[in-house]
Amino acid sequence: MNSQTRILSDGELLTLFAGGDRSAAMTLMNRHGSRVFNQAFRMLGDKAEAEDVTQEAMLRLWKIAPQWEEGAAQVSTWLYRVTANLCTDRLRKSGRGVGMDEIDEPADPAPSAVQNMQQGAREVALRAALADLPDRQAQAIALRHFEGLANPTIAQIMQVNLRGVESLIARGKRGLIAALSARKEELGFDDE
Amino acid sequence: MNDTPKVFTENDLDQLLNRVAAQDLAVPDALFDKIMLDADQVLRGQLVVRPADEETRAQYGAAMLSPAAGTKIRKRDIFGQFLDLIGGWPAFSGLSMAAATGLWIGVAPPEMLDSLAAGLWGSTIEMPVLGSDLYQDLEG
């Protein structure tokens, strides 16, 4: 008797789910849920919103299951794209223009607390600048620098060639530097 | 004293990006449960599988969906369900052929059938399909 068990591919799990197998959804959630959630959190900087995006992205996966073509795409690639799109939609709608005065004052005015506050303000400013970038540039930056993906993988996710990815990242970074340079005093970069 | 303002450099940006990249959270249990509840509802058909419209296909990549992704998933109609029940079109054509043959034998039986029936049951009788009165009325 062959005791070896083969690990099912994501596509096979989706097919099983479409056929009514709930445990296939649980396996897919275990494989991809954390990555989707953290991708959303890093882009949005808000746990509640990241939860909403994760729920929406996974729901779309469940719904697309009957139409999924095994071998045509990877579930991880599809989820990266859906999550990135959902996040840029939210960034765009919410307009993350948050100023320093909207960051909570630290309870402890010790240097470390002030530094933490400043770091928090910088992250908020970064996400605000990201929200002001064109969607594709923001997505390319997030996939490259937040998710640490290689350019060929980003090209696959964004359905663009390698040169396109490089161009999106370069232009995006220039845009971020310009936006953050305008706020460098406010964000304390002059002090360093 | 150095009065030259510090420029926000690419290195500053990379440090900021790396700091965000290092953030990693565990998926809350409640979120996991909500997502599995969604999966259950999709399985039970409570959340309808909507067709992928043009915008969705453009946004999420038509290449990743099957060619049928842009079309509505239709429920089989009664004839389709009947076809499925009997085994598809080949079974249906066989059934039609048998029905036509039976009708033909009933309406115009070959002569050998009469002698065969007489051989089996001893005798045959003839009955008009239509009542004789009605038959006469039809003839005028």
Side-chain angles (χ1 to χ4, degrees):
Chain A
M1 184 180 148
N2 184 5
S3 61
Q4 284 186 330
T5 52
R6 190 170 64 87
I7 295 173
L8 295 175
S9 70
D10 291 338
E12 288 170 324
L13 287 168
L14 269 184
T15 304
L16 285 175
F17 173 72
D21 186 343
R22 182 184 193 271
S23 67
M26 194 171 282
T27 306
L28 284 165
M29 183 56 199
N30 279 322
R31 278 186 196 174
H32 300 286
S34 175
R35 193 182 44 67
V36 171
F37 177 58
N38 279 291
Q39 183 190 351
F41 178 70
R42 288 179 200 122
M43 276 192 88
L44 299 170
D46 183 289
K47 201 174 164 190
E49 281 201 272
E51 287 187 21
D52 288 347
V53 165
T54 306
Q55 189 176 4
E56 178 63 25
M58 295 309 293
L59 177 58
R60 289 181 188 209
L61 184 65
W62 308 147
K63 287 180 174 180
I64 210 73
Q67 301 165 51
W68 191 267
E69 237 184 20
E70 171 74 352
Q74 289 187 337
V75 170
S76 58
T77 305
W78 189 87
L79 279 171
Y80 269 124
R81 175 186 300 182
V82 170
T83 307
N85 281 327
L86 289 170
C87 287
T88 43
D89 283 351
R90 278 177 181 253
L91 283 172
R92 189 76 53 248
K93 281 174 191 161
S94 63
R96 294 295 159 96
V98 181
M100 283 287 282
D101 51 350
E102 291 175 58
I103 308 294
D104 293 338
E105 289 285 339
D108 172 15
S112 62
V114 173
Q115 278 177 352
N116 284 343
M117 181 187 159
Q118 192 171 63
Q119 191 55 46
R122 288 174 179 179
E123 288 173 17
V124 169
L126 173 65
R127 290 187 176 104
L130 207 58
D132 286 337
L133 289 180
D135 287 357
R136 308 265 299 162
Q137 290 179 22
Q139 288 171 7
I141 291 273
L143 292 170
R144 180 74 190 90
H145 290 279
F146 293 167
E147 304 311 308
L149 298 178
N151 286 1
T153 309
I154 298 171
Q156 206 179 353
I157 293 167
M158 300 188 70
Q159 296 184 318
V160 67
N161 61 30
L162 269 179
R163 287 177 66 87
V165 172
E166 289 163 6
S167 169
L168 285 169
I169 291 173
R171 282 185 286 148
K173 285 183 87 168
R174 281 201 297 272
L176 290 179
I177 288 171
L180 293 170
S181 291
R183 299 178 67 180
K184 64 180 187 298
E185 283 182 47
E186 177 192 354
L187 298 171
F189 282 104
D190 277 353
D191 303 334
E192 293 172 3
Chain B
M1 183 179 162
N2 184 6
D3 288 337
T4 309
K6 184 180 184 297
V7 178
F8 185 84
T9 63
E10 186 165 355
N11 188 45
D12 292 330
L13 177 63
D14 285 340
Q15 282 184 14
L16 202 47
L17 290 168
N18 289 341
R19 192 175 170 97
V20 173
Q23 296 169 346
D24 196 56
L25 301 176
V27 177
D29 289 344
L31 174 61
F32 197 102
D33 293 344
K34 275 196 271 188
I35 289 170
M36 287 311 298
L37 191 65
D38 284 345
D40 289 339
Q41 287 183 319
V42 169
L43 283 181
R44 286 199 298 265
Q46 290 173 3
L47 291 174
V48 178
V49 179
R50 285 193 298 262
D53 57 25
E54 283 307 312
E55 189 184 351
T56 307
R57 290 170 69 78
Q59 195 176 8
Y60 298 108
M64 292 185 173
L65 307 178
S66 69
T71 59
K72 193 166 185 170
I73 296 175
R74 284 179 301 181
K75 199 175 174 185
R76 296 280 273 166
D77 57 20
I78 289 179
F79 181 70
Q81 290 177 22
F82 171 69
L83 267 186
D84 289 345
L85 190 69
I86 63 171
W89 280 107
F92 181 75
S93 61
L95 188 65
S96 304
M97 180 66 79
T101 306
L103 184 65
W104 175 65
I105 290 172
V107 171
E111 281 184 18
M112 61 164 285
L113 197 63
D114 260 344
S115 54
L116 182 66
L120 281 173
W121 287 291
S123 64
T124 61
I125 58 168
E126 283 187 11
M127 289 182 68
V129 176
L130 300 171
S132 55
D133 291 344
L134 178 63
Y135 197 64
Q136 284 166 5
D137 287 346
L138 283 174
E139 284 181 337

